[in-house]
Amino acid sequence: MHDFDPHAYAQAFKLATLVRGRTSPNPPVGAVVVRDGHVIGSGATQPPGGPHAERMALAMAGAAACGADLYVTLEPCTFHGRTPACTDAIIAAGIRRVYYGFRDCDPRMPSNGAQSILAPHGIDVIHVTPPQPQSQHALHLAPFVWRIQHQRPFVTLKYAMSLDGKIATHSGVSQWISHEHSRAHVHQIRASVDAILTGSGTACTDNPRLTVRHTSQVSSHTPLRVLLDSNGQTPTTSHIFDTTMAPTIVFTSQQSPQDWRDTLAHQGVQIHVSNSAPVPLRDVLAQLHTMGINHVLVEAGSRLAGALADADLIDEVHAFIAPGFIGNPAAPGPIGGAGISQLVDWQRFTIIDVHHSAADVHIHACRPSIFTH
């Protein structure tokens, strides 16, 4: 492995995690420059138009990068996009070896990847297996990979439910099922995504802000808020339409009142009007894809979550289970929709982690196919 240093790679990965949700449509990448066993440069990908992780780390290392090793979580890019190719900077810096964890699936990359560009300059390019847990490393880049390969954002569903599988009482009361510690964790999840999606039912009943709060992480990151409201039912005074807190985009249909749309547009809300009602979910995700959105978090009721499940559009789940019963057959569960008639048809998820979140249990799961990309 040519003296591969797992601690250096782990540091690069930690840097990458700090910029999740802030780099789309680019992937969140971390990089460190190592010389004689010491990190002399480090960096992470900046927002679109800013330097990639490799250039940030090389700039910090300066002339000392000549003859040093570069550790990067994703294969360096070889093409000029918003910024010049990172391979150009690596060559100019005189890097000796490049260790990277995941191949870049961008179609603009050559078939032999960065090696085809760097090897002729005497630079060793080494594809390494990231240190354990590999699942966390694969999940970290999954939104970027998923958007490129499937032409839609990676979709994460989050919900809180009781021990008997209810997300609200039969009268519609849902605040608060989960413990405050779990709710703080949700804000950490929000801080790592590009957009938060909800439906008109949740917007009308709970009047959520869908902003990042209650987190110790110092960040100015504000995810885009996305509302699906085909009929224009959400009051224009709702928190989600306060664009001083966060940007908002609404997907609606011709069935919504024109004055409702005009009012929202005047408030700075971006409006997309579909000819179909309800608005097709795949059309919404396709539009978000064109906007460069890699990762969408869904915080919604059983109707929207069920529609996503029916269409096989849920890729990851964060479920918070509270230790109590709600009861009543009329109380909703987390997933509505048409459902399945045979268990052989269901989408099985891979459990990534199960742990206590104060009084609750937090289950993190995702599609098994994520680890095959």
Side-chain angles (χ1 to χ4, degrees):
M1 191 68 75
H2 300 286
D3 301 321
F4 171 69
D5 183 353
H7 298 292
Y9 186 91
Q11 184 170 341
F13 178 71
K14 183 177 181 180
L15 290 167
T17 63
L18 297 177
V19 294
R20 289 182 65 186
R22 298 153 179 78
T23 63
S24 293
N26 297 325
V29 178
V32 298
V33 180
V34 177
R35 186 182 187 91
D36 299 326
H38 299 284
V39 173
I40 60 172
S42 62
T45 300
Q46 299 302 293
H52 290 186
E54 298 93 324
R55 288 181 174 271
M56 295 290 291
L58 291 170
M60 179 181 290
C66 185
D69 296 338
L70 174 68
Y71 290 77
V72 61
T73 55
L74 183 70
E75 182 180 18
C77 65
T78 64
F79 54 87
H80 194 303
R82 289 183 177 86
T83 58
C86 288
T87 48
D88 293 346
I90 292 169
I91 294 167
I95 287 291
R96 177 181 58 163
R97 288 188 295 237
V98 174
Y99 297 98
Y100 72 91
F102 288 89
R103 296 192 184 279
D104 191 341
C105 63
D106 193 297
R108 293 171 291 183
M109 290 287 289
S111 58
N112 291 331
Q115 182 171 353
S116 63
I117 304 298
L118 298 177
H121 294 269
I123 302 171
D124 291 334
V125 181
I126 304 162
H127 183 197
V128 300
T129 300
Q132 294 290 342
Q134 292 185 42
S135 61
Q136 294 300 324
H137 291 256
L139 270 174
H140 178 73
L141 284 170
F144 167 72
V145 174
W146 205 262
R147 184 180 65 83
I148 288 179
Q149 295 186 345
H150 298 275
Q151 304 297 292
R152 70 163 176 84
F154 187 78
V155 176
T156 296
L157 174 67
K158 165 260 149 184
Y159 56 84
M161 69 178 187
S162 61
L163 278 177
D164 56 337
K166 308 294 185 179
I167 62 170
T169 67
H170 69 279
S171 60
V173 178
S174 62
Q175 297 176 333
W176 296 102
I177 290 177
S178 58
H179 189 275
E180 62 180 355
H181 185 275
S182 298
R183 300 197 297 274
H185 190 170
V186 170
H187 284 271
Q188 295 177 10
I189 297 172
R190 288 180 181 178
S192 70
V193 304
D194 304 312
I196 305 172
L197 172 67
T198 195
S200 58
T202 298
C204 291
T205 302
D206 295 342
N207 192 21
R209 291 179 174 83
L210 298 183
T211 55
V212 177
R213 309 181 305 281
H214 311 305
T215 174
S216 59
Q217 184 174 355
V218 178
S219 171
S220 59
H221 173 60
T222 304
L224 172 70
R225 299 178 298 185
V226 183
L227 174 67
L228 272 60
D229 189 342
S230 296
N231 300 314
Q233 298 174 328
T234 309
T236 58
T237 55
S238 298
H239 291 317
I240 197 169
F241 297 138
D242 183 352
T243 55
T244 63
M245 292 192 293
T248 302
I249 180 172
V250 171
F251 288 89
T252 188
S253 74
Q254 296 286 357
Q255 293 186 8
S256 62
Q258 183 63 55
D259 59 347
W260 179 80
R261 284 180 255 156
D262 292 343
T263 299
L264 294 183
H266 182 72
Q267 293 173 195
V269 176
Q270 186 177 347
I271 311 292
H272 284 261
V273 182
S274 172
N275 292 324
S276 302
V279 178
L281 290 174
R282 291 191 182 275
D283 289 356
V284 172
L285 294 179
Q287 179 62 38
L288 294 177
H289 164 261
T290 63
M291 295 170 60
I293 299 295
N294 285 340
H295 196 175
V296 172
L297 173 65
V298 177
E299 298 191 39
S302 60
R303 183 173 61 178
L304 177 53
L308 288 163
D310 287 345
D312 192 24
L313 293 173
I314 298 174
D315 308 309
E316 181 183 36
V317 176
H318 286 281
F320 295 87
I321 305 174
F325 299 130
I326 289 179
N328 196 312
I335 306 294
I340 58 174
S341 58
Q342 301 290 332
L343 288 180
V344 70
D345 297 327
W346 74 352
Q347 165 68 50
R348 292 191 68 95
F349 287 80
T350 295
I351 302 294
I352 302 301
D353 189 28
V354 180
H355 71 269
H356 280 96
S357 177
D360 305 333
V361 172
H362 174 210
I363 298 178
H364 180 198
C366 71
R367 289 180 184 269
S369 58
I370 287 168
F371 305 113
T372 63
H373 286 281

Coordinates of all heavy atoms in Angstrom, one line a residue, residues 4 15 27 51 76 78 80 115 121 128 135 144 151 169 183 188 252 260 267 276 282 369:
F4 N 0.6 3.6 3.2 CA -0.7 4.3 3.4 C -1.0 4.6 4.9 O -0.8 3.7 5.7 CB -1.9 3.4 2.8 CG -3.2 3.9 3.1 CD1 -3.7 5.0 2.6 CD2 -4.1 3.2 4.0 CE1 -5.0 5.5 2.8 CE2 -5.3 3.6 4.3 CZ -5.8 4.8 3.7
L15 N -12.9 16.1 7.4 CA -13.1 17.4 6.8 C -14.3 17.4 5.8 O -15.0 18.4 5.7 CB -11.8 17.8 6.0 CG -10.6 18.2 6.9 CD1 -9.3 18.2 6.1 CD2 -10.9 19.5 7.6
P27 N -19.6 17.1 -5.0 CA -19.6 16.2 -3.8 C -18.9 16.9 -2.7 O -18.0 17.7 -2.9 CB -18.9 15.0 -4.3 CG -18.0 15.5 -5.4 CD -18.7 16.6 -6.0
P51 N -12.8 26.7 -4.7 CA -11.9 25.6 -4.9 C -12.3 24.3 -4.4 O -13.1 24.2 -3.4 CB -10.6 26.1 -4.1 CG -10.9 27.6 -3.9 CD -12.3 27.7 -3.8
P76 N -9.4 12.7 -7.7 CA -9.3 14.0 -8.2 C -9.9 14.2 -9.6 O -9.8 13.3 -10.5 CB -7.8 14.3 -8.2 CG -7.3 13.3 -7.2 CD -8.1 12.1 -7.3
T78 N -10.5 15.5 -13.4 CA -9.5 15.7 -14.5 C -10.0 16.7 -15.6 O -9.3 16.9 -16.6 CB -9.3 14.4 -15.3 OG1 -10.5 13.9 -15.8 CG2 -8.8 13.3 -14.3
H80 N -12.2 20.5 -16.6 CA -12.5 21.9 -16.2 C -14.0 22.1 -16.2 O -14.6 22.1 -17.2 CB -11.8 22.9 -17.2 CG -11.8 24.3 -16.7 ND1 -12.9 25.0 -16.3 CD2 -10.7 25.2 -16.5 CE1 -12.5 26.2 -16.0 NE2 -11.2 26.3 -16.1
Q115 N -5.7 8.5 -12.9 CA -4.4 7.9 -13.2 C -3.9 8.1 -14.6 O -2.7 8.3 -14.8 CB -4.5 6.4 -12.9 CG -3.2 5.6 -13.1 CD -3.3 4.2 -12.7 OE1 -4.3 3.8 -12.1 NE2 -2.2 3.4 -13.0
H121 N 3.2 11.7 -15.4 CA 4.0 12.7 -14.7 C 4.8 12.1 -13.5 O 5.3 12.8 -12.7 CB 3.2 13.9 -14.2 CG 2.6 14.7 -15.4 ND1 3.2 15.8 -15.9 CD2 1.4 14.6 -16.1 CE1 2.5 16.3 -16.9 NE2 1.4 15.6 -17.0
V128 N -7.7 3.2 -2.6 CA -7.6 2.5 -1.3 C -9.0 2.2 -0.8 O -10.0 2.8 -1.2 CB -6.9 3.3 -0.2 CG1 -5.4 3.6 -0.7 CG2 -7.6 4.6 0.1
S135 N -19.5 1.7 5.5 CA -20.8 2.1 5.2 C -21.0 3.6 5.3 O -21.7 4.3 4.5 CB -21.8 1.4 6.1 OG -21.6 1.8 7.5
F144 N -24.3 12.4 -4.1 CA -23.7 12.9 -5.3 C -23.8 11.8 -6.4 O -24.1 12.0 -7.5 CB -22.2 13.2 -5.0 CG -21.4 13.4 -6.2 CD1 -21.5 14.5 -7.1 CD2 -20.4 12.5 -6.5 CE1 -20.7 14.7 -8.2 CE2 -19.6 12.6 -7.7 CZ -19.8 13.7 -8.5
Q151 N -30.3 10.5 -12.1 CA -31.0 11.8 -12.5 C -32.0 12.3 -11.6 O -33.0 12.9 -12.0 CB -31.6 11.6 -13.9 CG -30.5 11.1 -15.0 CD -29.4 12.1 -15.2 OE1 -29.6 13.2 -15.7 NE2 -28.2 11.7 -14.8
T169 N -51.7 11.5 17.0 CA -52.9 10.9 17.6 C -54.0 10.9 16.5 O -53.9 11.5 15.4 CB -53.4 11.8 18.8 OG1 -53.8 13.1 18.3 CG2 -52.3 11.9 19.8
R183 N -34.9 15.5 18.6 CA -35.2 16.7 17.8 C -34.0 17.5 17.5 O -33.8 18.1 16.4 CB -36.3 17.5 18.4 CG -37.6 16.8 18.7 CD -38.8 17.7 18.9 NE -38.7 18.5 20.1 CZ -39.0 18.1 21.3 NH1 -39.5 16.9 21.5 NH2 -38.9 18.9 22.4
Q188 N -29.2 18.4 13.2 CA -27.9 18.0 12.6 C -28.1 17.3 11.3 O -27.3 17.6 10.3 CB -27.2 17.1 13.6 CG -26.9 17.7 14.9 CD -26.2 16.7 15.9 OE1 -25.9 15.6 15.5 NE2 -26.1 17.1 17.1
T252 N -46.7 23.5 -7.3 CA -48.2 23.5 -7.2 C -48.7 23.2 -8.6 O -48.0 22.8 -9.5 CB -48.7 24.9 -6.7 OG1 -50.1 24.8 -6.5 CG2 -48.4 26.0 -7.7
W260 N -53.1 33.4 -4.7 CA -52.3 32.7 -3.8 C -50.8 32.6 -4.3 O -49.9 32.9 -3.6 CB -52.8 31.3 -3.5 CG -52.0 30.4 -2.5 CD1 -52.1 30.5 -1.2 CD2 -51.2 29.4 -2.9 NE1 -51.3 29.5 -0.6 CE2 -50.7 28.8 -1.7 CE3 -50.7 28.8 -4.1 CZ2 -49.8 27.7 -1.6 CZ3 -49.8 27.7 -4.0 CH2 -49.4 27.2 -2.8
Q267 N -43.6 37.5 -2.0 CA -42.9 37.3 -0.8 C -41.5 36.7 -1.0 O -40.7 36.5 -0.1 CB -43.7 36.4 0.2 CG -44.9 37.0 0.7 CD -45.8 36.1 1.5 OE1 -47.0 36.3 1.8 NE2 -45.3 34.9 1.9
S276 N -50.4 19.0 -14.0 CA -51.0 17.8 -13.4 C -51.3 18.1 -12.0 O -50.5 18.8 -11.3 CB -50.1 16.6 -13.6 OG -49.9 16.4 -15.0
R282 N -42.0 12.5 -9.4 CA -40.8 12.4 -10.2 C -40.5 13.7 -11.0 O -39.3 14.0 -11.2 CB -41.0 11.2 -11.2 CG -41.0 9.9 -10.5 CD -40.9 8.7 -11.5 NE -40.9 7.4 -10.8 CZ -39.9 6.8 -10.2 NH1 -38.7 7.4 -10.3 NH2 -40.0 5.7 -9.6
S369 N -28.5 -1.2 -2.2 CA -27.8 -0.9 -3.5 C -26.8 0.2 -3.4 O -26.0 0.4 -4.3 CB -28.8 -0.7 -4.6 OG -29.7 0.4 -4.3

